[in-house]
Amino acid sequence: MDQDKYAVFNNFVEEGHKLWFWDVNFNALFHCPENGGTATKIFGAKHTKGALYSKIFKHGDKIIAIPQLANEILTYNMLSGQVKFIPIPIKSWGNLYAEEQGRFWDGVLYQDYLFLIGYWSSKVLKFDIPHEQVAEAKDLYEGVEIPLEARFAIFKNALLVDAKIIIPDYTVNQVFILNPDNMQCERYEVDKNGDGFSDIAYDGENIWLSPRGPGAFTAWNMALGKVSFYSGYPEGYQMKGQDAISCIEYFNNKIYVMPYWANKAL
């Protein structure tokens, strides 16, 4: 359609031998054969600046899109092709970062709910998938003495561990532990060098937190309350300032580290 645009997407889901993804360049939902081929546009939205949605999640026959710059949650029924927009019940975000950079980025599926994790906001939404409505909202900074206009926190990724949603702070050495049943939240501070965490992974025993910039990886055993640090980088590994690591992933008893402003994958 446009020779000057490339497909750019943050994640994908699999259904019916197809890979489904929201493309942030075209602001559209696509699918393509799982073994390769041409991507087909399913639904598009008119938007000229920035990504309307970040990631998508699958629950039954539905795809749910996380609103980044959009003001609605998008659902798409893969059987009927029906598209719905559910308004976000938040009128003011408190800072321009959420308005210009994005409201939400990641999500966590738990039972029949999708929890939308704040990006440049400190909000978490509990989205009831069968009834297609926001059931509850939580401000992670509730009770924290930070002026509303200064709440420019970034929460990029989150994980479900032992029926708790673990949300690392991107800019501060703290982790939020959210109970998805009652939306009660605890805050756990990590005493380490550097500021914040770039990503999170779980190996079945330890929660791994990658540093945002040069510094040690954190292995946190939540059940035992034990924290260990690992900084034995291989020779020749270089990080360039902040945002050195893009993401980490646990697979086959190893933690894989993907670089952003670093020169090697680990």
Side-chain angles (χ1 to χ4, degrees):
M1 294 184 297
D2 189 335
Q3 298 298 320
D4 295 326
K5 285 188 177 181
Y6 296 88
V8 178
F9 49 98
N10 298 311
N11 77 325
F12 63 85
V13 299
E14 298 178 69
E15 179 65 28
H17 302 292
K18 297 174 182 176
L19 304 181
W20 299 71
F21 59 90
W22 181 269
D23 186 282
V24 300
N25 259 346
F26 291 99
N27 270 314
L29 180 68
F30 286 81
H31 67 51
C32 67
E34 63 182 2
N35 59 350
T38 301
T40 302
K41 181 180 176 181
I42 305 302
F43 168 79
K46 292 182 179 180
H47 192 70
T48 58
K49 183 180 178 181
L52 281 175
Y53 297 92
S54 55
K55 296 182 179 182
I56 62 171
F57 290 81
K58 182 186 73 170
H59 184 275
D61 298 324
K62 289 180 184 176
I63 286 176
I64 307 103
I66 302 288
Q68 184 172 336
L69 293 177
N71 291 313
E72 303 88 17
I73 300 166
L74 184 153
T75 66
Y76 175 80
N77 189 303
M78 291 178 284
L79 291 181
S80 68
Q82 184 179 29
V83 178
K84 291 185 180 180
F85 295 95
I86 297 87
I88 299 171
I90 298 174
K91 302 303 179 185
S92 175
W93 297 95
N95 66 72
L96 289 176
Y97 297 97
E99 295 283 356
E100 297 175 357
Q101 304 293 331
R103 299 95 158 93
F104 302 94
W105 176 264
D106 200 8
V108 173
L109 283 168
Y110 175 75
Q111 296 178 352
D112 284 336
Y113 296 94
L114 177 63
F115 291 80
L116 282 64
I117 309 300
Y119 184 27
W120 284 86
S121 75
S122 55
K123 310 290 188 183
V124 176
L125 297 187
K126 184 177 183 179
F127 181 63
D128 184 328
I129 300 172
H131 296 96
E132 296 187 326
Q133 63 184 17
V134 176
E136 204 167 344
K138 178 73 175 181
D139 189 337
L140 297 181
Y141 276 5
E142 185 179 24
V144 178
E145 294 182 0
I146 300 176
L148 185 63
E149 64 274 8
R151 296 183 180 188
F152 55 87
I154 307 176
F155 300 97
K156 288 188 66 177
N157 301 309
L159 275 183
L160 186 70
V161 178
D162 296 334
K164 297 288 192 299
I165 298 175
I166 312 301
I167 310 169
D169 197 312
Y170 192 73
T171 58
V172 182
N173 295 336
Q174 61 186 4
V175 179
F176 291 87
I177 308 164
L178 182 69
N179 186 322
D181 294 315
N182 58 21
M183 296 292 279
Q184 295 300 304
C185 188
E186 301 174 52
R187 187 165 58 97
Y188 181 78
E189 295 188 16
V190 181
D191 185 13
K192 76 175 190 72
N193 294 325
D195 297 321
F197 305 99
S198 62
D199 201 7
I200 182 171
Y202 182 57
D203 66 7
E205 181 178 355
N206 290 309
I207 296 168
W208 290 84
L209 301 161
S210 55
R212 186 164 66 97
F217 282 79
T218 302
W220 172 34
N221 189 309
M222 188 168 59
L224 300 178
K226 180 182 177 182
V227 176
S228 303
F229 300 102
Y230 298 89
S231 58
Y233 291 101
E235 185 177 353
Y237 183 73
Q238 297 175 2
M239 292 179 171
K240 184 180 178 181
Q242 301 293 345
D243 307 317
I245 293 169
S246 173
C247 65
I248 58 175
E249 198 76 36
Y250 175 72
F251 181 71
N252 279 354
N253 296 318
K254 292 182 176 65
I255 299 289
Y256 290 86
V257 182
M258 297 295 108
Y260 187 60
W261 289 107
N263 63 339
K264 295 179 182 180
L266 305 177

